[in-house]
C-alpha cells in the first residue's frame, strides 16, 4: 500500500500561472482533505470531500478549486497563483467515524509551492 | 472564535520525560488528536482522546480534561528521534479538525 501520495513534490510558479496538485489514496477512504501549512500557524483546511463527486469549503477556500471525480483522487487547483499561496500543501484521507464524524487522518508527503 | 494554544518550542534531554500542554476553546468537542511531524515530513497520528483521563501507548501517553479544555502529551525515555513538532487538534461540533500551531521539541544529548 502506498497510502497517500501527492504530485508534484515541489513547484515554482510565477504570479498568475495556474497549476493542479494531485492527491491519490489507495486505502478506500471516503473522506479526503486539502490543507496548507505555513510557519507559525496550524494546518488550515482549504477544501474537503466526503465522497466521490462531492466537495465542500474549509477555512481558507478562496483562490482554490477542487474536484473529486474518482474516490481515490482529490485534485486541488490554483487558477491564478498569488505569492500569498506560497505554502506547503498536504492532502489527507480518512474513514468516516462510527459517530458519523471523521476518523484518524492519514497524510501525504506534501507539496512545496513557491509563487514568485 | 476557535483557538488552540501550545508552547512554540520546548527543549529536553535524551532519556528524560517531557510534557507538552495543549489548551483549547472550540465550538463543541468531539475528540482531541495528537500528531507528530518531523521536519519536512507529513504529520503522523499519535493518539486520540474523547473521554477524560489518561491513554497510554508505550513511551507516549495523552491526557484529557474536557471541563478544563486541556490536554497534554507525555513522552518518556526521550530518544533523539523524538525531535519533532507535536500538533494538537480538536474535532469541533461540526467534526472539523481545528489545529494548533504545533510545539517544536528539541532533544539534546
Amino acid at each position: 500500500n502506498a497510502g497517500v501520495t501527492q504530485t508534484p513534490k515541489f513547484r515554482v510558479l510565477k504570479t498568475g500561472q495556474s497549476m493542479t496538485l494531485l492527491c491519490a489514496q489507495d486505502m478506500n477512504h471516503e473522506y479526503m482533505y486539502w490543507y496548507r501549512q505555513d510557519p507559525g500557524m496550524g494546518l488550515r483546511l482549504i477544501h474537503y470531500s466526503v465522497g466521490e463527486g462531492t466537495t465542500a469549503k474549509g477555512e481558507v477556500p478562496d483562490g482554490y478549486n477542487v474536484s473529486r471525480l474518482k474516490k481515490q483522487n482529490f485534485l486541488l487547483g490554483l487558477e491564478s497563483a498569488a505569492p500569498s499561496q506560497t505554502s506547503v500543501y498536504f492532502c489527507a484521507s480518512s474513514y468516516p467515524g462510527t459517530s458519523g464524524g471523521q476518523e484518524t487522518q492519514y497524510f501525504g508527503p506534501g507539496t512545496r509551492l513557491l509563487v514568485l | 472564535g476557535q483557538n488552540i494554544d501550545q508552547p512554540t518550542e520546548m527543549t529536553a534531554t535524551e532519556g528524560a520525560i517531557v510534557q507538552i500542554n495543549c489548551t483549547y476553546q472550540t465550538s463543541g468537542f468531539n475528540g482531541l488528536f495528537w500528531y507528530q511531524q518531523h521536519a519536512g515530513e507529513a504529520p503522523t497520528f499519535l493518539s486520540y482522546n474523547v473521554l477524560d483521563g489518561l491513554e497510554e501507548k508505550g513511551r507516549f501517553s495523552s491526557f484529557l480534561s474536557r471541563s478544563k479544555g486541556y490536554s497534554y502529551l507525555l513522552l518518556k525515555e526521550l530518544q533523539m528521534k523524538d525531535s519533532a513538532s507535536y500538533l494538537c487538534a480538536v474535532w469541533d461540533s461540526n467534526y472539523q479538525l481545528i489545529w494548533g500551531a504545533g510545539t517544536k521539541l528539541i532533544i539534546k544529548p
Side-chain angles (χ1 to χ4, degrees):
Chain A
N1 278 359
V4 181
T5 58
Q6 292 182 232
T7 53
K9 287 185 170 50
F10 178 71
R11 184 76 183 267
V12 178
L13 287 180
K14 293 181 180 178
T15 297
Q17 286 185 319
S18 64
M19 78 165 294
T20 300
L21 284 68
L22 172 63
C23 176
Q25 53 96 4
D26 61 3
M27 296 177 282
N28 203 34
H29 285 165
E30 288 292 333
Y31 289 12
M32 295 187 76
Y33 318 83
W34 275 108
Y35 290 97
R36 61 179 289 173
Q37 188 175 41
D38 300 294
M41 302 183 74
L43 287 160
R44 291 184 292 169
L45 184 65
I46 304 170
H47 286 280
Y48 65 100
S49 168
V50 299
E52 182 178 321
T54 70
T55 62
K57 293 180 180 179
E59 181 187 355
V60 288
D62 293 343
Y64 306 95
N65 56 75
V66 288
S67 64
R68 182 106 181 264
L69 299 179
K70 293 183 178 180
K71 185 177 183 178
Q72 63 268 33
N73 294 339
F74 195 28
L75 278 63
L76 178 71
L78 286 74
E79 289 185 348
S80 179
S84 61
Q85 293 179 303
T86 292
S87 188
V88 180
Y89 291 86
F90 285 103
C91 175
S93 69
S94 72
Y95 288 115
T98 55
S99 59
Q102 304 156 15
E103 283 288 0
T104 303
Q105 295 185 12
Y106 296 85
F107 285 80
T111 295
R112 281 151 185 77
L113 176 65
L114 175 62
V115 182
L116 300 175
Chain B
Q2 310 211 82
N3 195 48
I4 295 184
D5 285 319
Q6 306 178 234
T8 302
E9 188 174 295
M10 299 181 70
T11 302
T13 305
E14 190 177 15
I17 300 173
V18 71
Q19 177 175 310
I20 302 174
N21 296 326
C22 170
T23 57
Y24 62 89
Q25 290 178 308
T26 56
S27 55
F29 179 86
N30 281 301
L32 185 144
F33 291 85
W34 284 97
Y35 279 76
Q36 181 190 58
Q37 186 177 24
H38 285 100
E41 297 183 8
T44 55
F45 170 76
L46 283 179
S47 68
Y48 170 63
N49 294 66
V50 66
L51 299 176
D52 290 350
L54 188 68
E55 295 274 346
E56 296 187 74
K57 240 189 220 184
R59 294 190 298 114
F60 292 7
S61 303
S62 55
F63 171 83
L64 175 66
S65 169
R66 288 172 297 172
S67 63
K68 295 182 179 178
Y70 168 70
S71 172
Y72 68 72
L73 181 69
L74 191 71
L75 291 73
K76 303 176 185 175
E77 301 169 16
L78 285 170
Q79 302 175 9
M80 297 304 292
K81 67 178 182 180
D82 297 329
S83 291
S85 289
Y86 291 85
L87 314 180
C88 174
V90 172
W91 257 353
D92 69 7
S93 56
N94 295 318
Y95 290 97
Q96 296 283 328
L97 259 186
I98 310 300
W99 295 83
T103 299
K104 182 178 181 180
L105 178 63
I106 299 168
I107 310 296
K108 295 187 174 179

